[in-house]
Amino acid sequence: MSFSVLNSRNASYGRRITLLTTLLCLAGCAAQTAYRDGRRMLNEGNVTTGLSKLKEASDLAPESAEYRMAYLNARDATVGNRLTAAELALTAKDFAEAERHYQQVLALDGRHPRAIAGMQSIITERRRTALYADAEQAWKKQDADMAQSRLRSILAEQPNHAPAQALLREIEEKLSQRSLQSGLATAYRKPITVQYKDTSLKTLFDLIARTSGLNILFDKDVRTDQRTSIFLKNSTVESAINMILLSNQLEQRVLDANTILIYPDTQAKRKDYQPVMVRTFYLSNAEAKAVAATMKTIIRAKDIVVDEKLNMVMLRDSPDVIRQAEKLVALHDLPEPEVMLEVEVLEVKRTKLMELGVRWPDQLNFSPLQSGTGGKLTIRQLRNLNQDTITGDIGSISINTKDQNTDTNLLANPRIRTHNREKAKILIGSKVPVITSTLSTSFASESVSYIEVGLKLEVEPTIYPDDEVSIKTSLEVSNILKTIETKSSRAYEIGTRTASAVLRLRDGENQVLAGLINNEDRRTINQVPLLGDVPLLGRLFGSHNNDNAKTEIVLSITPRLIRNVRRPDANVLEFESGTDSSFRRTRIETSTPPLTSAAPNAQPIVPKPIEVPEAIATKPDSTFRWSGPDSAAQGRTIEFQLRYQGDQAINGLPLVIGYDPKVLEIVKVDEGDFLKTKGETVFNTQLEPGQVALNTLLSSATGAKGEGLVATVTAKVINAEAGQTQLSVLSATPQSVDGRSLVPALSAFQLKLAP
């Protein structure tokens, strides 16, 4: 009974072992099939399915290192490709594409640090992009507070965000201009016509003060009696002031919204009057030393401090220099261009061995038999040698029929990520020690040096703004041919193949360098003398060995830009830098009022005389008087005469006449005879709808005084529905012969209209 139970258990164990063996065989076959399918799919470009098949093969055969390594290598290569594509998309602000690639990486490796960091970067960049878009929209709607709040939120996270910095600077400048809108800026935009020859500075600035309503103060060293000439037509107060300052080596400082101070443009006065600011630049990419050197050279910054630890530059100078320093920093502090070089180094070795024939023995050896005791033979025994005591040894005959072909591929596929103009080096091989001994009379010493043997690759990329990369490439492939040893040292014979080239490729363009070929052809014949030379039959008495080996090195390189040079805006690339002696702005950038008619729905323009500020109001020295018809019907052309009366002689009379362009149309303006007899210039120009500027100059030094006709204005009534209109002298500054500006009493003429 016990024997039958034991036999039954043994049979059960045998069936289990058989079943387990069968399952293992099936699992091995399934793993091999999955491995082959995975490699095939990867070669066909079906990466996702191929990786899943390789993982399946690794799971079915966990003891197979080949399957495991194949899966890990394929996964790492795929992850590298996806990360490169994601970073390129993130640089191009294509967040959806970058997120897709990062998700694929996380699907393969859920804890990959670069993929996790990339996803966080996408979230951050999307938030910054949304904040910047909100800031732009708010600024378009003139909501400066919201725009500044959004931009400051961006700069709190990323201080070097160039678009946010530029927009915030623009908003602050606009707000600064608006703060003067009710005073200085409005006065600067007022139209003015100035044509004076050999006139004192005080007279010119008095004219500008009366026209614009500005308070103009002078430094004690300004020569107000200095004479100058200026001819400006259809200009603005700002242009007139800047032109006078520029041509007379003067400078201005704005004291408040209604007052400016004029002082000589000298080094000492600039120190006294120019405000000084302190500006700190925290650099993210450029070196603080290089930026500081540029500031000292280009804008001659004097008070500058460099903090290399914080990579910071601190500058103390005038506002004009600070503004130019900001533009220089914007040009310098750019992200370093970066490129990923995909390199494949392939060594293809083909060998062909053909060995055919009969190898006959080529030696016959004779030796005496050993003594009975197994020791050496004595001389007596040697004298008794004969054919019974001497043995012979002859080699065996062998027939060789061998044909062998071998193809070997040694592949290196590194990926090199490097900055612009930075060298990168790869060594795939080993460092072989070379031992050298040094002997002397008293001691002996040994030294060890190392030789790099294997594959060495050096690359140095240069990235251009047009998405092209120039690559200096140096490739060296070496191997040990044989070892040479002496009593005191060891050396090696090394075979080397090198190639150097400079390539210029576009982003993603591939270039293959080939032709490093080593070709060896060896032919060996072992044959019986004389018999081996017999034609045809000689093959039976010899063996022929043909050995051919051919090795070629192939280098494939593909650049992929991670980040290229970002071109700054045009207003940063080129900007005015003043003169050699001063960095203040010399270009006059003012906006002239447009010469267009009023809009159809605009309110009628009612010209009003310019009010002279109380601070500079004085008793009138002269008067204007209008004459003409009291009423006019629609469509009628009428003439108005403007007369001037004064006790002091004048040689110039600039003035501006105002009218309602919706009611009257100025046909022409003729000069009168008051200054005409000796006058040399008269003109009339539309400044803006409802204004006409005139200026009459007299070359005579005696001038003209008393009463006379200044101008005759011919106008046509185009709309009588308003019932009445007027012509008025908006501004006038009679110029006396001694260079003073006289104060006239301005007047207006009322005209009744009839349909």
Side-chain angles (χ1 to χ4, degrees):
M1 183 67 179
S2 59
F3 287 102
S4 62
V5 173
L6 183 60
N7 291 334
S8 176
R9 289 180 178 177
N10 291 336
S12 175
Y13 291 154
R15 286 193 298 271
R16 292 179 182 179
I17 293 174
T18 303
L19 179 59
L20 181 60
T21 304
T22 304
L23 292 176
L24 291 176
C25 292
L26 292 176
C29 295
Q32 186 176 8
T33 302
Y35 175 74
R36 287 199 304 265
D37 293 342
R39 296 300 296 267
R40 177 177 54 81
M41 291 177 181
L42 288 177
N43 294 332
E44 294 175 354
N46 192 352
V47 178
T48 304
T49 308
L51 284 174
S52 63
K53 285 292 184 181
L54 290 180
K55 189 174 187 309
E56 179 184 351
S58 178
D59 294 339
L60 290 174
E63 73 284 352
S64 175
E66 179 184 5
Y67 296 166
R68 184 64 178 171
M69 289 301 299
Y71 168 68
L72 293 178
N73 290 335
R75 189 192 68 177
D76 292 343
T78 304
V79 166
N81 290 332
R82 294 289 185 267
L83 288 175
T84 301
E87 290 170 353
L88 290 174
L90 187 59
T91 303
K93 302 297 183 181
D94 190 352
F95 300 125
E97 184 70 11
E99 185 177 9
R100 184 175 67 85
H101 289 299
Y102 281 132
Q103 291 288 1
Q104 292 176 351
V105 173
L106 292 175
L108 296 174
D109 186 356
R111 297 183 179 180
H112 198 285
R114 286 177 60 186
I116 296 174
M119 292 296 293
Q120 185 63 36
S121 299
I122 291 175
I123 296 173
T124 304
E125 288 295 330
R126 280 177 171 169
R127 184 175 66 256
R128 291 174 185 168
T129 303
L131 288 173
Y132 186 76
D134 291 345
E136 285 186 320
Q137 192 67 23
W139 180 234
K140 289 179 181 178
K141 295 179 179 179
Q142 302 302 315
D143 190 351
D145 292 338
M146 178 178 288
Q148 287 179 311
S149 175
R150 298 292 190 270
L151 294 174
R152 289 193 177 102
S153 297
I154 296 174
L155 295 176
E157 296 181 357
Q158 187 179 359
N160 62 339
H161 195 283
Q165 289 177 342
L167 184 56
L168 183 60
R169 187 162 49 246
E170 176 187 349
I171 293 174
E172 290 175 348
E173 290 176 357
K174 293 291 184 182
L175 292 178
S176 177
Q177 294 175 4
R178 289 179 184 178
S179 65
L180 299 176
Q181 192 71 22
S182 59
L184 187 63
T186 303
Y188 268 14
R189 288 199 303 271
K190 286 184 177 179
I192 192 173
T193 296
V194 185
Q195 286 200 349
Y196 288 102
K197 182 178 181 181
D198 195 22
T199 305
S200 66
L201 289 176
K202 187 177 186 306
T203 301
L204 290 179
F205 281 114
D206 284 345
L207 169 64
I208 293 174
R210 297 173 188 276
T211 304
S212 62
L214 288 173
N215 300 322
I216 301 178
L217 305 178
F218 296 95
D219 181 81
K220 62 183 181 63
D221 294 331
V222 174
R223 294 175 51 198
T224 57
D225 59 344
Q226 180 180 345
R227 309 189 74 80
T228 186
S229 300
I230 183 171
F231 300 90
L232 291 180
K233 298 188 301 181
N234 192 23
S235 187
T236 61
V237 171
E238 181 183 10
S239 296
I241 292 176
N242 286 332
M243 289 297 184
I244 295 173
L245 297 178
L246 185 63
S247 60
N248 292 276
Q249 296 182 347
L250 299 174
E251 185 56 277
Q252 65 173 332
R253 178 176 179 180
V254 179
L255 300 180
D256 56 38
N258 298 302
T259 308
I260 62 174
L261 172 68
I262 308 299
Y263 61 90
D265 188 13
T266 61
Q267 186 69 24
K269 291 298 180 181
R270 282 197 295 267
K271 289 182 178 179
D272 292 337
Y273 288 113
Q274 278 189 354
V276 178
M277 299 176 60
V278 176
R279 179 74 160 86
T280 304
F281 300 95
Y282 287 92
L283 306 176
S284 300
N285 304 286
E287 292 185 0
K289 275 188 175 180
V291 175
T294 302
M295 290 181 179
K296 290 180 181 178
T297 303
I298 302 298
I299 61 176
R300 303 177 203 161
K302 291 174 282 188
D303 299 334
I304 186 168
V305 176
V306 176
D307 190 333
E308 296 184 18
K309 185 177 181 180
L310 297 177
N311 202 30
M312 177 195 72
V313 177
M314 186 175 292
L315 177 66
R316 181 179 182 270
D317 217 312
S318 65
D320 292 326
V321 175
I322 294 295
R323 284 194 294 269
Q324 296 190 36
E326 290 175 350
K327 294 182 179 181
L328 291 179
V329 171
L331 290 173
H332 257 287
D333 196 23
L334 297 177
E336 186 78 12
E338 199 170 0
V339 64
M340 174 79 76
L341 299 178
E342 296 180 356
V343 181
E344 293 184 358
V345 182
L346 182 66
E347 182 177 6
V348 183
K349 185 176 182 181
R350 301 181 180 90
T351 59
K352 184 176 182 181
L353 177 63
M354 174 70 75
E355 190 174 359
L356 184 63
V358 179
R359 185 177 181 87
W360 295 88
D362 53 4
Q363 289 182 346
L364 178 60
N365 299 320
F366 294 97
S367 60
L369 293 175
Q370 297 293 331
S371 63
T373 61
K376 296 181 179 180
L377 297 178
T378 62
I379 295 177
R380 182 181 298 275
Q381 291 174 337
L382 289 176
R383 293 178 58 187
N384 297 327
L385 290 177
N386 53 36
Q387 62 181 357
D388 294 329
T389 59
I390 297 176
T391 61
D393 183 18
I394 188 172
S396 61
I397 299 175
S398 60
I399 300 176
N400 297 324
T401 56
K402 184 178 182 181
D403 187 3
Q404 180 179 352
N405 294 325
T406 305
D407 292 337
T408 304
N409 295 335
L410 301 178
L411 180 64
N413 186 19
R415 293 167 185 249
I416 310 170
R417 182 168 177 172
T418 181
H419 285 175
N420 187 29
R421 302 180 186 275
E422 293 289 341
K423 287 185 179 181
K425 181 179 178 181
I426 290 179
L427 171 63
I428 302 176
S430 58
K431 291 186 176 182
V432 179
V434 177
I435 302 174
T436 305
S437 299
T438 303
L439 301 177
S440 64
T441 56
S442 58
F443 66 92
S445 63
E446 291 184 348
S447 61
V448 181
S449 60
Y450 293 91
I451 301 175
E452 295 179 348
V453 177
L455 186 148
K456 290 190 292 184
L457 177 65
E458 291 185 0
V459 292
E460 182 181 356
T462 301
I463 304 173
Y464 297 98
D466 56 354
D467 290 343
E468 289 191 354
V469 182
S470 177
I471 309 171
K472 292 182 180 180
T473 307
S474 177
L475 175 67
E476 178 181 339
V477 180
S478 57
N479 62 314
I480 298 176
L481 298 181
K482 64 179 180 180
T483 303
I484 302 173
E485 294 188 4
T486 63
K487 293 182 179 179
S488 59
S489 63
R490 176 185 299 172
Y492 301 93
E493 180 181 349
I494 299 176
T496 305
R497 280 166 289 172
T498 61
S500 298
V502 179
L503 310 174
R504 183 157 180 167
L505 306 175
R506 295 196 64 83
D507 181 24
E509 182 181 356
N510 177 262
Q511 179 64 48
V512 177
L513 301 178
L516 294 176
I517 300 175
N518 181 22
N519 197 353
E520 297 181 2
D521 191 0
R522 298 180 182 179
R523 299 177 183 271
T524 305
I525 300 176
N526 294 319
Q527 61 183 12
V528 178
L530 299 178
L531 295 178
D533 296 331
V534 177
L536 297 179
L537 295 178
R539 287 283 184 174
L540 299 176
F541 298 96
S543 175
H544 295 256
N545 187 335
N546 298 330
D547 188 0
N548 181 268
K550 183 177 181 181
T551 306
E552 180 178 6
I553 302 297
V554 178
L555 171 65
S556 173
I557 187 167
T558 305
R560 300 196 182 276
L561 288 177
I562 303 298
R563 181 174 50 250
N564 200 354
V565 181
R566 181 177 58 83
R567 294 176 183 267
D569 297 334
N571 61 342
V572 179
L573 290 174
E574 180 179 358
F575 55 90
E576 188 182 3
S577 184
T579 63
D580 285 342
S581 60
S582 175
F583 284 97
R584 71 180 178 89
R585 191 179 56 170
T586 58
R587 184 180 302 166
I588 309 303
E589 299 177 355
T590 58
S591 56
T592 304
L595 304 179
T596 57
S597 59
N601 298 327
Q603 296 295 327
I605 300 176
V606 181
K608 295 181 179 180
I610 296 178
E611 298 179 359
V612 180
E614 183 179 355
I616 60 174
T618 58
K619 183 179 179 180
D621 298 318
S622 57
T623 59
F624 286 96
R625 184 167 56 85
W626 287 94
S627 63
D630 296 335
S631 62
Q634 182 165 338
R636 182 184 173 186
T637 301
I638 54 178
E639 291 183 353
F640 303 92
Q641 293 182 343
L642 178 64
R643 306 183 70 84
Y644 173 82
Q645 182 178 1
D647 296 334
Q648 301 185 35
I650 63 173
N651 58 10
L653 183 57
L655 58 89
V656 177
I657 298 174
Y659 66 97
D660 188 349
K662 295 181 67 64
V663 178
L664 297 178
E665 178 184 353
I666 303 300
V667 178
K668 63 178 179 177
V669 179
D670 297 324
E671 58 182 323
D673 57 1
F674 183 62
L675 298 176
K676 183 177 181 180
T677 55
K678 298 180 181 180
E680 58 184 18
T681 305
V682 66
F683 64 91
N684 60 336
T685 305
Q686 286 273 356
L687 289 179
E688 63 181 26
Q691 293 184 9
V692 176
L694 299 96
N695 195 2
T696 303
L697 298 178
L698 185 64
S699 60
S700 174
T702 59
K705 65 179 179 178
E707 181 181 357
L709 178 63
V710 176
T712 299
V713 181
T714 304
K716 181 180 180 181
V717 180
I718 59 175
N719 187 0
E721 295 180 358
Q724 65 177 0
T725 188
Q726 69 176 9
L727 274 80
S728 59
V729 179
L730 297 181
S731 65
T733 309
Q735 182 68 46
S736 66
V737 293
D738 59 357
R740 294 185 298 108
S741 296
L742 304 180
V743 180
L746 305 181
S747 63
F749 182 80
Q750 299 292 333
L751 177 66
K752 295 181 180 180
L753 304 175

